[in-house]
Amino acid sequence: MQKHQFSVGLLTELAPHEHPGLLGLNVGSGNTIKLRIRLDTYDGFRPYLEVRRVLCHELAHNVWGEHNNDFKELNSQLNREVAEFEAAAGAGTHQLSNLRDIYHPLSDEEVEARTHVLGGIGLRGNDTMEDRRKKALEAATARLMNEEEELERSCGTSGPQKQS
C-alpha cells in the first residue's frame, strides 16, 4: 500500500445479500472497499486466495476506473507483488515490520481442493515433453484469462479513469 501510495478509508465485508453477483466493490477510488468474504449460502468463507485476488483488483480501481490495459497491468503487478511478498515471508527471507502472521493453507482439505490433473487422465503415449509443457502452458493461460474475465464480470466498480 505504501509503495503505491494507496489509501483506503474503510475495508468492509460485502455480505451475500448485498449486490448479488459482485465479488468486490470500490466506492470513491478507495473511500470504501467491500469484499465478498462469505459464501452466498452464509455457511462458510471464500478461499483466501480468491479474496486476496479480489482485494488487489479493487485496489487497482483506486487508480483506474475502467478495466482497460492500464488497469489490467496494475492489477497483475499488485497480484505479483503480494504473491512474491507472501512467498518470501513464508521462506523467512522478508518481513513487513515485525509482522510474521501470513496465511498458510496447509490443511489437507485445502491441499486436496487445489489439486488438479492437467489434460485429463494419464499421459498420452505419443506426447513429447515439449508437447506436455505446451499443453500445460495453454491450460494455465486459459485458466488465468477465465479468472480475469470472471472477476471483471463480477466487479461493481467502473467509471472514468483517474489521472495519475
Side-chain angles (χ1 to χ4, degrees):
M1 299 255 309
Q2 291 174 345
K3 175 180 178 180
H4 297 280
Q5 299 177 351
F6 288 146
S7 175
V8 175
L10 176 65
L11 178 64
T12 188
E13 180 178 8
L14 181 61
H17 68 274
E18 298 177 283
H19 306 286
L22 297 183
L23 293 175
L25 184 62
N26 182 324
V27 180
S29 296
N31 287 334
T32 301
I33 291 182
K34 297 181 177 189
L35 301 176
R36 177 118 26 237
I37 297 170
R38 297 175 199 270
L39 298 174
D40 293 341
T41 56
Y42 284 94
D43 62 349
F45 296 94
R46 295 182 182 278
Y48 166 78
L49 293 177
E50 179 181 324
V51 175
R52 184 185 82 187
R53 183 173 54 92
V54 174
L55 175 59
C56 290
H57 178 100
E58 296 307 330
L59 285 170
H61 279 303
N62 280 15
V63 179
W64 304 106
E66 297 295 326
H67 295 123
N68 60 20
N69 287 336
D70 292 323
F71 170 87
K72 291 175 183 179
E73 185 177 317
L74 178 58
N75 184 41
S76 293
Q77 179 184 354
L78 294 174
N79 277 285
R80 247 188 337 270
E81 289 172 359
V82 170
E84 289 169 0
F85 172 80
E86 287 186 352
T93 60
H94 181 70
Q95 61 184 10
L96 179 63
S97 299
N98 290 324
L99 178 67
R100 288 212 176 262
D101 292 331
I102 62 167
Y103 179 73
H104 297 285
L106 298 178
S107 75
D108 291 341
E109 292 83 19
E110 287 178 294
V111 171
E112 184 177 323
R114 299 188 194 294
T115 302
H116 303 283
V117 177
L118 293 175
I121 55 173
L123 296 176
R124 300 203 173 53
N126 296 334
D127 286 352
T128 65
M129 182 63 81
E130 187 61 31
D131 290 337
R132 288 186 292 231
R133 285 183 181 145
K134 184 177 178 184
K135 287 178 185 176
L137 176 61
E138 289 170 355
T141 302
R143 277 194 307 276
L144 288 173
M145 289 176 64
N146 287 339
E147 285 179 6
E148 284 301 315
E149 289 171 5
E150 175 196 351
L151 194 53
E152 286 181 18
R153 283 191 307 274
S154 61
C155 176
T157 307
S158 63
Q161 294 180 0
K162 183 178 176 182
Q163 299 297 319
S164 53

